[in-house]
Amino acid sequence: MSTLGSDFDPGGSIVRRTVELIPEPGNPHDRYAVSVRASNYLLGYLARERAILFHSRLMDLINRGLVPTVPAAIRAYDQNRWDDTPGTPVDLSVSVEIQLSDPHLLTPGNEPPEIPYTLLPPGSSVQVTKVDDHFDVLRRFVEPEGELELLVTLHELDVSTAKTDKWVVEIRVDGHRIGQLTPQSSAKFLPAIRHLDSRGLVTVGRGWFRGSSVSAQVSLLAAKSHELPEDFLTGEPQTVISLNRPRRTPVVMGGAQSVAADSTPTFSIDMDTSRPLTPWQQKEATKLLLAASAEVGLRGFPASEPYVSTNSIKAVVLESHSEEILAALAGVEESDFSLANRYRSVH
């Protein structure tokens, strides 16, 4: 009941809370278990097929000292039975629905700026124009899933002509221009950008990037100037924690670019199996991981030989492939090789 708080109506209500997602690799029933907790109380667990996909990314956040949290709606009511008598405890019916994106969207695909900034609250989608002119930058963020959240910076850009005065909002990623807003959309953000600039802060928003090897599309998901509360404009900057991931774009240095090799992060798998693997399971796991190691080599990274024994698996794979491979390994443990075969057929 303490989790529901004063918002709870015994007749039935929806209480909105922030809940924690805690992976439990030591869970004796399922090492991929992910518990849902609030106010130090266990509310339940993610379904196993979902937990397998999220487990490694959540563990990465935990290992960095972060606690993954998501919004949740807790539906609860006192379930009175026809034979209830005064003084008899009532049964509480509870269901929990959490807002959880896909695994690859849990964290942004790039680091926050190293200069003072503040992050705009979420808002309705606004299309970024002239994106195709900057595909040389955006192609570095293309993921197998085809979509990614990026932290973008918003800058005032003077596009005045001899006859008209005009300013638009330029959108950048890691200091690189990737497009701009239309004059009409820009007018809704410029007052906030100018105000924050007077405070010495760069304006940052969440960008929704969809891309392939030949095209890209970017939307800005940020609150407009008139939607910002006063405490945002005058209060402490809103920031996000750096995850210290490799940079994907060249470093901008005084107008020039220091060109570096593309960085495609890798992911180390070092796991103990929940039960001894049979020789056939070891064979299937080895074939899967050999294919995954080959993908690492194709990207120009050192590819190590995977190690598979009856109770231990070690390998280095592409981070972008890690969720798919971990799910396939979980299937191998259950003697279901369909995901492993699917990975090998595609890559």
Side-chain angles (χ1 to χ4, degrees), residues 8 65 78 102 132 165 183 238 242 252 259 273 309 334 339:
F8 174 60
D78 285 345
D102 290 332
D132 289 339
D165 293 332
Q238 301 297 307
S242 171
V252 178
V259 179
T273 60
S309 68
E334 303 295 333
L339 291 178

Side-chain angles (χ1 to χ4, degrees), residues 11-283:
S13 62
I14 298 177
V15 179
R16 303 196 181 277
R17 292 284 184 270
T18 296
V19 299
E20 301 171 355
L21 300 182
I22 308 298
E24 299 181 356
N27 188 303
H29 303 289
D30 184 359
R31 63 187 179 83
Y32 294 108
V34 175
S35 61
V36 181
R37 299 176 178 270
S39 304
N40 296 321
Y41 288 95
L42 174 64
L43 301 181
Y45 287 86
L46 293 187
R48 188 172 194 270
E49 60 271 18
R50 296 288 284 168
I52 289 173
L53 297 177
F54 285 91
H55 191 274
S56 64
R57 291 185 185 268
L58 294 174
M59 279 300 303
D60 182 54
L61 294 176
I62 292 289
N63 291 335
R64 294 175 185 268
L66 307 174
V67 178
T69 61
V70 294
I74 305 175
R75 295 175 170 83
Y77 64 92
D78 285 345
Q79 188 175 353
N80 295 305
R81 298 186 302 271
W82 67 270
D83 59 348
D84 283 342
T85 58
T88 302
V90 298
D91 292 332
L92 186 66
S93 177
V94 179
S95 64
V96 181
E97 180 179 321
I98 63 174
Q99 297 179 25
L100 190 59
S101 62
D102 290 332
H104 61 283
L105 300 176
L106 283 181
T107 55
N110 63 325
E111 293 290 287
E114 297 179 354
I115 56 179
Y117 73 94
T118 190
L119 177 65
L120 293 174
S124 57
S125 177
V126 176
Q127 191 70 31
V128 179
T129 65
K130 301 191 176 181
V131 169
D132 289 339
D133 296 341
H134 307 283
F135 188 67
D136 59 324
V137 175
L138 290 170
R139 67 176 178 82
R140 301 168 185 268
F141 294 97
V142 173
E143 294 282 359
E145 297 84 1
E147 57 185 358
L148 190 67
E149 180 184 289
L150 294 173
L151 295 173
V152 301
T153 54
L154 285 62
H155 307 266
E156 183 176 6
L157 178 66
D158 187 351
V159 292
S160 301
T161 65
K163 296 182 178 180
T164 61
D165 293 332
K166 187 183 299 184
W167 290 266
V168 297
V169 174
E170 181 182 74
I171 307 297
R172 301 177 191 171
V173 168
D174 296 345
H176 296 267
R177 173 182 166 86
I178 61 167
Q180 65 187 53
L181 303 183
T182 65
Q184 293 79 9
S185 295
S186 296
K188 299 176 182 179
F189 290 94
L190 283 172
I193 294 172
R194 291 165 179 164
H195 172 78
L196 294 171
D197 180 66
S198 71
R199 296 183 56 195
L201 298 172
V202 170
T203 303
V204 173
R206 291 179 172 87
W208 188 263
F209 168 63
R210 296 178 180 85
S212 67
S213 58
V214 295
S215 65
Q217 180 180 351
V218 179
S219 301
L220 176 65
L221 304 174
K224 302 171 181 64
S225 300
H226 68 277
E227 299 170 332
L228 297 174
E230 185 63 26
D231 59 353
F232 174 86
L233 295 171
T234 59
E236 292 296 316
Q238 301 297 307
T239 60
V240 295
I241 296 175
S242 171
L243 297 179
N244 299 315
R245 288 161 297 195
R247 186 185 178 97
R248 303 196 191 194
T249 60
V251 179
V252 178
M253 302 175 59
Q257 294 182 1
S258 173
V259 179
D262 288 350
S263 295
T264 303
T266 55
F267 180 88
S268 295
I269 296 175
D270 187 352
M271 56 186 274
D272 296 327
T273 60
S274 57
R275 62 178 66 88
L277 298 180
T278 66
W280 186 254
Q281 288 171 323
Q282 292 179 58
K283 179 180 177 181

